[in-house]
Amino acid sequence: MLTQLQIHHIRNLSRVAISDLGQVNIFFGPNGSGKTSILEAVHMLGMSRSFRTGTPRTFIAHGEQRCTVYGLTDFSAPGQRAAVAVQRELGGDVLIKLAGEKVRSVAELVAHLPLQVLNAASFDLLTGSPAARRQFLNWGVFHVEQRFFSEWQRFQRCVKQRNKLLRRGKLENRELAVWTRDLAAAGERIHLFRQAYFEALAPRFRAIMADLSPALLGLELRYRKGWDKALDYAAALDVSEPADCEQGYTHVGPQRADLRVTVGGYSAAETLSRGQQKLVVCGLKLAQGQIMSESQPRGCVYLVDDLPSELDAQHCKQVCEALTALQAQVFITCVDAGDLSGMWPSEVTPVMFHVEQGQVAQQPPASAQ
């Protein structure tokens, strides 16, 4: 897990050094103090980008040309201690170093520090477009199936070339057939990877939700592959080819897949309260983290922004207990120190940090106060 963190010039965090990080790290303070920016910095260590915005100009401190985040990771095994650093330039350039060596692929960084984010944007899993749910699905598959990433890149290249040919209007049937054949093969493999992952995810989600909200009956997770379930992908492409040619793009495939949560057969987004929706989102993220922890020794790091918002104390406590059961490292924010400090099992002693006006101060344990 992360044991040390240094942040330079991210929003109002000019120069922040945090040591003695623990399994559970609570950052509390008034709104606008910089709590979420700390989570944003950790996200940059694992993804080389912010979870709030893709534009460096909006998260690099005003008047600065770059921002830097440095972290020290310790995997509690000989030779498994490594430094990771990410620097973002105002112009968009990125420099990533892992154990002192430059990293060219963000995929390598992602594998080093797997992340789960729980924040206001996570509601998109229920209320947003299918793209948000596909991203969630792909994120899980990426961490458990080594072949997925290269297959996804192959699919993206094939669909881009096929669409380019479709938009020309005057098609060479032989060339279109070649790209369609390769697209069908890649798309079918992606579906099989996703299907296998979904079959592992769904029962874990149901079990977690039975603990978090046993009164919520009829909750189901459903996967739609993006084309007629009675057809393989090659046959579905053959059926849709006239419409593809007429409109100039590929209508069916993994790029149309979706993951839906229903309650009694109805959309959870339309039937559940905001608090219930947050519990469902927590259930999805916890189930995904559980699979990640089982499939790789490093587990994952949870970045949780303002958990008490829209959840009562009992449900907050249940989520905190579930996070503890995963043995995940947690970075979590709240306004008041008392909002979360008593929510954890007795064997867990959270490390408390007070954040105010971009300054971070570790608080002594309650027993020492």
Side-chain angles (χ1 to χ4, degrees):
M1 63 181 186
L2 277 168
T3 58
Q4 297 178 32
L5 186 65
Q6 295 180 20
I7 307 167
H8 293 171
H9 306 310
I10 291 183
R11 300 191 190 273
N12 67 336
L13 304 176
S14 179
R15 288 186 177 272
V16 170
I18 306 172
S19 57
D20 300 323
L21 291 167
Q23 179 187 352
V24 175
N25 306 277
I26 299 177
F27 298 87
F28 68 94
N31 292 329
S33 60
K35 304 185 302 293
T36 303
S37 299
I38 294 170
L39 304 190
E40 193 175 15
V42 178
H43 190 271
M44 198 170 297
L45 273 185
M47 293 288 289
S48 81
R49 58 177 175 80
S50 164
F51 58 69
R52 285 163 142 179
T53 175
T55 307
R57 186 177 299 277
T58 60
F59 61 77
I60 295 176
H62 181 68
E64 300 294 334
Q65 295 299 308
R66 64 189 58 83
C67 66
T68 306
V69 187
Y70 167 91
L72 191 62
T73 53
D74 186 351
F75 299 107
S76 301
Q80 290 295 301
R81 188 176 175 88
V84 56
V86 176
Q87 180 176 281
R88 294 296 305 263
E89 300 281 346
L90 204 58
D93 291 342
V94 183
L95 175 63
I96 304 171
K97 285 190 175 182
L98 184 57
E101 300 292 329
K102 286 185 179 181
V103 174
R104 298 188 180 278
S105 169
V106 175
E108 186 178 346
L109 181 69
V110 167
H112 180 76
L113 191 67
L115 299 173
Q116 287 286 345
V117 179
L118 260 168
N119 62 1
S122 299
F123 280 97
D124 285 349
L125 286 176
L126 296 182
T127 61
S129 69
R133 293 183 286 276
R134 283 194 297 272
Q135 186 179 35
F136 170 80
L137 187 61
N138 289 345
W139 182 244
V141 181
F142 170 83
H143 284 287
V144 300
E145 175 52 71
Q146 294 183 348
R147 296 170 293 176
F148 174 76
F149 185 58
S150 60
E151 206 63 63
W152 180 251
Q153 289 179 313
R154 184 176 295 110
F155 173 81
Q156 295 282 55
R157 183 171 63 252
C158 288
V159 78
K160 181 179 179 180
Q161 291 297 327
R162 187 175 190 266
N163 287 346
K164 186 176 179 180
L165 287 172
L166 290 169
R167 285 194 295 270
R168 284 182 184 173
K170 296 180 180 179
L171 299 175
E172 292 290 341
N173 289 336
R174 183 176 299 177
E175 188 177 2
L176 182 65
V178 169
W179 285 109
T180 300
R181 181 196 63 204
D182 292 348
L183 181 71
E188 193 68 44
R189 284 190 288 268
I190 287 169
H191 160 62
L192 292 175
F193 292 151
R194 285 174 169 173
Q195 180 68 43
Y197 177 76
F198 173 78
E199 290 172 0
L201 180 72
R204 286 168 172 80
F205 170 69
R206 286 194 295 269
I208 289 170
M209 289 308 302
D211 290 334
L212 292 183
S213 186
L216 198 55
L217 303 176
L219 194 64
E220 288 292 335
L221 189 61
R222 299 179 179 181
Y223 164 63
R224 298 176 181 174
K225 63 182 182 178
W227 64 90
D228 189 335
K229 62 183 180 181
L231 302 175
D232 62 26
Y233 190 30
L237 284 169
D238 187 55
V239 170
S240 70
E241 186 170 317
D244 294 351
C245 292
E246 181 179 348
Q247 298 186 32
Y249 68 95
T250 304
H251 284 73
V252 297
Q255 78 280 13
R256 296 280 182 167
D258 201 358
L259 193 67
R260 301 301 299 273
V261 182
T262 60
V263 181
Y266 297 95
S267 168
E270 298 173 357
T271 58
L272 298 183
S273 69
R274 190 72 171 175
Q276 289 174 319
Q277 288 180 20
K278 188 163 187 174
L279 280 177
V280 170
V281 169
C282 287
L284 288 169
K285 295 283 189 171
L286 288 165
Q288 188 167 82
Q290 190 178 96
I291 295 174
M292 289 167 66
S293 297
E294 292 171 358
S295 62
Q296 53 189 11
R298 294 178 181 178
C300 60
V301 173
Y302 274 82
L303 308 177
V304 187
D305 195 24
D306 198 13
L307 181 66
S309 173
E310 294 153 332
L311 289 184
D312 58 31
Q314 179 59 34
H315 284 116
C316 272
K317 187 173 183 179
Q318 288 175 306
V319 173
C320 291
E321 289 172 347
L323 287 168
T324 302
L326 286 177
Q327 297 185 327
Q329 187 177 27
V330 180
F331 292 77
I332 189 166
T333 69
C334 59
V335 174
D336 187 85
D339 291 343
L340 289 172
S341 58
M343 299 293 176
W344 308 87
S346 58
E347 67 271 18
V348 175
T349 302
V351 185
M352 307 291 294
F353 299 92
H354 182 233
V355 186
E356 190 161 9
Q357 295 182 350
Q359 300 297 313
V360 182
Q362 183 174 344
Q363 304 296 291
S367 58
Q369 293 180 356

